[in-house]
Each structure stands twice: as structure tokens, then as C-alpha cells.
Amino acid sequence: MRFKARVSLVAALFTAIMPFQTVLASGSGPMDLNLPSLGATVGTELSPSDERALGAHIMTQVRADPTFMSDPETTEYLNRIGYQLVSHAKTYTYQFLFFPIRDPSLNAFALPGGYIAVHSGTIIAAKSESELAGVMGHEIGHVSQRHIARMIEGQKGNLAISLGSILLAILAARAGGDSGGHAAAAIAMGSQAAMIQNQLNFSQDAEREADRIGLQTLYNAGFDPEGMLSFFKRLQSNNRFYESAAPAYLSTHPLTVARMADIENRIRHLPPRMHSDSLDFKLIQMRLKVLQETRHDRWFAVQKELDRQSKNAKGKDAAILHYGLSVVATQLHQPEEAYRHAKLAMTAGSSAFLEKNLIRTQYDAAVKAKSTVERRNAVSRAEKSLDKFPLSALMAENYIDLLYEEGRHKELIEFMRNGNAISSSNPDYHAILARSYEALGQKSLQYLHTGEMYALMGVTEAAVYQLDLAEKANDGDFYTMSEIDARLRALRDQLLIEKERGLPLTE
């Protein structure tokens, strides 16, 4: 069974907020946009580690929602853009995670601790990479200024009650959107969610602060600052509210005239900065046009339209259209057709996404054709692609995926333990090892890594349960069982602390 990455965490440590430097006369260097302060960003009741733990706990609910997209390509792209922004954001120490939500509405939202979601509709609607980066920069501003932590502090209530309110708000908001299947829950929760909405909405001051920090981040990261303004203007002209869909109760962003005027005024004083869109931006937009659909009749309609457009396409346009045709053929279980279009896309463009798709479709077509030679060629090509894209978790996971399907579990485990494309602080790392240890019948190691996966996801009780199973299986060597014993004791202690505080801890 093909492995689908649940999440691709990109972990990094950043320094605490420091004064912004003044821009040089030449226009190079960080730009000082005269940011206001809502007060100290530290010292609230909710510590940064607690905030991260709160976000991790909420993410267990988000991942369970059918609109959560476990798509490695889109996740890798969002995190690439996200960390390009974060590296210029002067934010606190957060392990940011950017992830896609399958929803056609124009929306993005930030959760406590650096978890930032972007709706597929937002990515598709963006007319430039700078527009998309502008939306993400705004969300990074909310995270860096700890706006949600301040709201919780402002409630001056029990933290567990605040957690319950936030989870309720997310579930009710998702039910009220296009998630499907949750309308009854929305009705049941509606009055309670409405009651807490005012507590969770961002203030206008917080919105302006996120705008200004987002704009500064956008500019310093090399994007066109007009991107933020143009996207917001389009939303305003359509009488839409930015982030008006799920979870709107967490982060409602009404576009006021004053906000728009403030952004426009600040851009006017910035030196012009142009940004050329990457091919990957267009490829991911095309990919999401396919994956946003969930029915066969819609995929057939997309296939027909893309096929029509591809007849006279050349260059990068041809690469994008044939990539889309390959993705939709995969959804329709047409492996030979997917491989044919993947080869055409590669002849017209160059990208890690195109190469990964070519390898994957080559393997799938070989499986259907029962060609052992072609399967081996695909695996060999996947291994060689790691040299071309050494920092790509996407390419590493593609190679791992093929090794698993070939039953080469010992090679897979050795690659995981010796490689660095997927960090051991990533839940995926342990999920991948757990499934191969299961295939090899090594139960203690299977449960150990399943437990570590849960621990990194902030679900300590599930982690303790898995480590307990690992201890009972008792089929590892002395060192493995000693590691399991020590880790189980540490997690049990952590679980006691969490229960005392009413908040799950991730560290």
C-alpha cells in the first residue's frame, strides 16, 4: 500500500524578536516599517511551549477532518515558501508547519504554535507567488506576535476551558463550511460557537500588526509587496471576508477600509521589488485544480478541458498542462496514460515535482504491465534523484515508498537511519520505520516508533499505550528494550504533568 505522508514538518530554530534594522540607502537589507506594538509578546500565562502543545493537540482534530490534505507535493511547496518567509520574520522559536486544506473558499488560518493552513482555493486563486506569500506572511505575523496566546490570556479563564472553546470553534466552523457530512454537528454547536466567537476574533489592532509584520516579512524575503495588496483588493471587490471560512472563529479578518489604506500607504514608501513566479507555483496550482475535486465525473471534466488546452501548448505551458493530465489520470486509475503525460511534461520543463511524478507513474505503469525490469528502473531512478535533490523530503519519501512496495525493508530502514532528508523529529520518520518493522515482524520496534510518532504529534496518552505494547512484545535486543523502558518511564511522567496542567505537552 502506498505511503501517504501525513505531515512534512520542517523543523528549525529561530532567534527571539530583535529590533528591526533600518534599510540601507541602496534599498538592500531589512526594511523598517515602523511597526506598532500591542505590548510585550512574552510573559502571557500561556508559555511558548504550552502554545506549541496546544497547537499540536488541535492538529490531531484537524488531521482527522476529511478536508485535511496529506499531499506531499503541496506540503513541500507550502513549507518551502513558508520558510523563505519565516527566515525573514524575526519570529520566536517555533517549528512552523504549513499544510493544505481541501476547500475551494479563499481562506488561510493560523493555529497556536506555528501551524498554518492554506485552503486549496487560495492557492488556485492567487495570480502570483507574491500574492500567496502575502497571505502566508500575514498568518506568520499572527504567530510571531502570539495573538492567540494573548486572546486566551485575555479571557482570564481556565486554560482547559479555553482549549475546549477553541476545539469547539474549529469543529463548528468546519461543519459550517464545505467539509461535508458535519452539518448536524454544526447545528448542535452553533449557539455555543457563536457565544465564544467574540472571544476568539482577532482585534483590529492585531490585524494591523499582522498586516505590517506580514508586509515587512514579504518584502525582506524577496517577494513583491504589491502581492499582499492585490490579493486583498480582489477579496474586497468580491465582497468577501478574508478567512471567513473554517475556522473563522479562530481568526476572522474583516477587510476594513482603514486596513487597506494602511497597507497601500506602506507599500508606497517601499522601493519596487519584482518577483518572478517559479514553475513549481504553477505546477502546484494545476495539481490542486485536480485534487480539489473528489468525484470521478469532475475528474473526467477536468481531463477533457486540460486535453483541449494542451493541443497547442508549448514550453512551460505544455509542461504544466501535461503534468495536470498526468495527475488526473492517476486519480482515474489510468497508470499508462499518467506515465505518458508525465514523460511529455518532463520534455517541456524541469522540476522536482515533474521528476517525482515521472518516477511514480513509471513504477505504477510497470506494476500494471507486470514489468519487473521497468519497476527496478523506476526504483533506480528514484535513488539517483536523491543526488539531484538532496534536501527534498518529497524525493526521499518517493524512494522510500518504492522500497516499501518492493518489500526491501532492510534497505529502507538503513536508508532512514543513515539519511538526513527526513528528520527524526518528524512524525513521518517514525511512521515510516514502524510500518517496515511491522512487515519484518519486529513488534517491539514497530510499537516503539509508532509511540514516538504519537509523541511528536502531541498525543502522549497514545504514545504511552504504544510503548507499553513495545515492552510487552519484548522481542528486541537488550539495547532496544532498555531504550523502550527508559522512554516509557519518561512518557508516563510527562502524561502525569499534562493531566495536572490540563494541557498536553509535546516537549
Side-chain angles (χ1 to χ4, degrees), residues 220-295:
N220 291 343
F223 293 98
D224 182 358
E226 290 283 351
M228 177 184 282
L229 183 63
S230 62
F231 195 82
F232 284 2
K233 275 186 174 180
R234 208 157 61 252
L235 289 177
Q236 190 180 51
S237 67
N238 291 334
N239 196 27
R240 298 289 296 273
F241 288 95
Y242 173 50
E243 295 186 346
S244 60
Y249 300 99
L250 270 180
S251 49
T252 299
H253 300 255
L255 281 168
T256 63
V257 173
R259 270 187 67 195
M260 296 295 290
D262 185 61
I263 296 172
E264 195 162 9
N265 181 59
R266 291 176 183 278
I267 291 175
R268 192 178 297 119
H269 291 88
L270 291 174
R273 174 157 289 174
M274 303 300 293
H275 176 82
S276 298
D277 292 341
S278 67
L279 174 61
D280 286 348
F281 170 61
K282 297 295 184 182
L283 292 173
I284 290 299
Q285 283 188 312
M286 177 58 72
R287 182 176 185 84
L288 289 176
K289 285 178 183 177
V290 175
L291 299 185
Q292 188 170 259
E293 306 295 346
T294 56
R295 304 197 320 263

Side-chain angles (χ1 to χ4, degrees), residues 182-478:
H182 301 297
I187 295 170
M189 298 178 186
S191 59
Q192 295 166 289
M195 186 169 61
I196 64 173
Q197 180 175 352
N198 289 335
Q199 293 175 300
L200 295 175
N201 284 352
F202 287 141
S203 69
Q204 286 299 318
D205 284 342
E207 282 302 289
R208 283 192 295 271
E209 188 172 46
D211 285 340
R212 293 170 184 178
I213 287 177
L215 184 61
Q216 175 167 325
T217 299
L218 186 71
Y219 185 85
N220 291 343
F223 293 98
D224 182 358
E226 290 283 351
M228 177 184 282
L229 183 63
S230 62
F231 195 82
F232 284 2
K233 275 186 174 180
R234 208 157 61 252
L235 289 177
Q236 190 180 51
S237 67
N238 291 334
N239 196 27
R240 298 289 296 273
F241 288 95
Y242 173 50
E243 295 186 346
S244 60
Y249 300 99
L250 270 180
S251 49
T252 299
H253 300 255
L255 281 168
T256 63
V257 173
R259 270 187 67 195
M260 296 295 290
D262 185 61
I263 296 172
E264 195 162 9
N265 181 59
R266 291 176 183 278
I267 291 175
R268 192 178 297 119
H269 291 88
L270 291 174
R273 174 157 289 174
M274 303 300 293
H275 176 82
S276 298
D277 292 341
S278 67
L279 174 61
D280 286 348
F281 170 61
K282 297 295 184 182
L283 292 173
I284 290 299
Q285 283 188 312
M286 177 58 72
R287 182 176 185 84
L288 289 176
K289 285 178 183 177
V290 175
L291 299 185
Q292 188 170 259
E293 306 295 346
T294 56
R295 304 197 320 263
H296 279 71
D297 61 328
R298 290 299 306 145
W299 285 327
F300 279 120
V302 171
Q303 187 179 50
K304 183 178 180 180
E305 175 59 23
L306 294 181
D307 188 59
R308 183 189 66 78
Q309 294 179 30
S310 69
K311 299 299 184 186
N312 300 314
K314 297 179 180 179
K316 289 184 178 180
D317 288 340
I320 295 163
L321 289 165
H322 283 294
Y323 176 70
L325 284 163
S326 180
V327 174
V328 76
T330 297
Q331 297 302 110
L332 292 169
H333 305 292
Q334 301 169 347
E336 299 97 335
E337 188 73 358
Y339 182 38
R340 182 175 75 84
H341 284 293
K343 288 187 287 187
L344 290 171
M346 275 294 291
T347 61
S350 177
S351 164
F353 296 143
L354 293 178
E355 181 149 342
K356 187 263 184 178
N357 186 59
L358 177 66
I359 295 166
R360 181 71 248 183
T361 56
Q362 178 184 4
Y363 184 86
D364 290 343
V367 169
K368 185 168 184 179
K370 298 181 180 180
S371 172
T372 303
V373 173
E374 278 298 296
R375 279 169 44 192
R376 289 174 179 170
N377 287 341
V379 176
S380 177
R381 183 164 189 165
E383 184 175 15
K384 291 176 182 176
S385 71
L386 294 171
D387 294 330
K388 191 185 298 185
F389 305 100
L391 300 179
S392 173
L394 174 74
M395 301 307 287
E397 289 181 6
N398 187 47
Y399 177 57
I400 290 162
D401 205 18
L402 297 186
L403 287 178
Y404 181 83
E405 293 188 34
E406 288 292 291
R408 293 159 60 173
H409 299 293
K410 291 183 179 178
E411 289 178 61
L412 188 158
I413 292 168
E414 183 180 1
F415 172 77
M416 290 292 295
R417 292 196 173 281
N418 295 332
N420 55 14
I422 303 176
S423 169
S424 60
S425 63
N426 184 333
D428 287 351
Y429 175 87
H430 298 283
I432 291 166
L433 286 174
R435 66 173 187 166
S436 277
Y437 280 123
E438 180 184 22
L440 293 172
Q442 299 181 37
K443 295 297 183 183
S444 288
L445 283 167
Q446 173 197 338
Y447 294 133
L448 167 63
H449 286 284
T450 304
E452 295 293 5
M453 177 192 71
Y454 281 122
L456 287 167
M457 291 171 64
V459 193
T460 309
E461 193 164 7
V464 168
Y465 177 74
Q466 292 294 324
L467 267 294
D468 189 54
L469 290 176
E471 191 173 63
K472 290 176 180 176
N474 195 29
D475 64 353
D477 58 25
F478 172 78

